[in-house]
Amino acid sequence: MTVHSIHIFNKKCECIYFTEWNNAKADASKKDKLEPAAEEREVDGDPETAKLVYGVVFSLRNMASKLSNQGFSSYKTGTYKLHYFESPAGPKLVLITDPNAPNMADTLQSIYANVYVEFVVKNALVKPNTPIHNQLFRTTLDKYVRNLPNFE
């Protein structure tokens, strides 16, 4: 299973955190520039990509709620699978993996409860609904994702 990226959106639909793994473009630039490892570098991502990701999630969530009583948790294309988790407090987590990945709902719930809540919500120095620059959060999330079964 390949994990491509994670986006975290706040209640106002703003992307407050983004990082990616296993990106061929990023890997090529690392070889040329000798960039530090993912846990050591700041990754802000493309704001337009974040808007597109949120737009897809928003549209699919609304469509799913009109078609059934069950919520939207993931969808799959030929090139990727998007997994979605919305916490009761408002933050929305979006994980993008390869299309053969299993359902990651429990993983996203665990990331929210064990990483986000512990290192962002309980941290008095982090302002709510603002971009996450907490290095301990970034490092812990990176280790958590890299330790997932079958992470490539």
Side-chain angles (χ1 to χ4, degrees):
M1 169 190 73
T2 302
V3 177
H4 297 296
S5 65
I6 189 167
H7 290 79
I8 300 177
F9 297 94
N10 64 12
K11 291 186 228 180
K12 299 174 185 175
C13 310
E14 300 165 335
C15 185
I16 58 173
Y17 182 76
F18 166 79
T19 195
E20 59 187 349
W21 299 270
N22 301 316
N23 181 341
K25 291 179 187 175
D27 292 343
S29 70
K30 278 186 209 175
K31 289 178 186 173
D32 295 339
K33 299 179 184 179
L34 298 174
E35 290 182 14
E39 61 269 0
E40 298 172 3
R41 64 185 161 99
E42 190 95 3
V43 181
D44 294 325
D46 179 15
E48 293 302 315
T49 301
K51 288 178 186 177
L52 290 171
V53 168
Y54 190 79
V56 166
V57 167
F58 181 79
S59 298
L60 289 173
R61 188 183 62 177
N62 287 342
M63 185 175 67
S65 69
K66 291 178 182 177
L67 295 174
S68 71
N69 292 335
Q70 296 178 339
F72 161 69
S73 63
S74 69
Y75 84 93
K76 178 175 148 178
T77 70
T79 55
Y80 68 91
K81 187 172 183 180
L82 184 143
H83 309 268
Y84 175 72
F85 172 77
E86 184 171 359
S87 75
K92 300 156 188 68
L93 284 73
V94 177
L95 186 68
I96 300 175
T97 65
D98 69 62
N100 299 322
N103 188 337
M104 303 292 278
D106 292 339
T107 300
L108 285 172
Q109 200 167 14
S110 180
I111 288 171
Y112 174 75
N114 299 321
V115 182
Y116 183 82
V117 169
E118 291 299 320
F119 297 105
V120 176
V121 175
K122 292 182 179 180
N123 186 340
L125 300 175
V126 176
K127 293 180 184 177
N129 298 315
T130 60
I132 301 168
H133 298 292
N134 181 334
Q135 189 62 37
L136 192 55
F137 168 79
R138 291 171 180 264
T139 303
T140 306
L141 178 61
D142 186 65
K143 286 180 184 175
Y144 184 90
V145 170
R146 289 181 187 278
N147 288 324
L148 289 173
N150 303 322
F151 176 81
E152 295 176 3

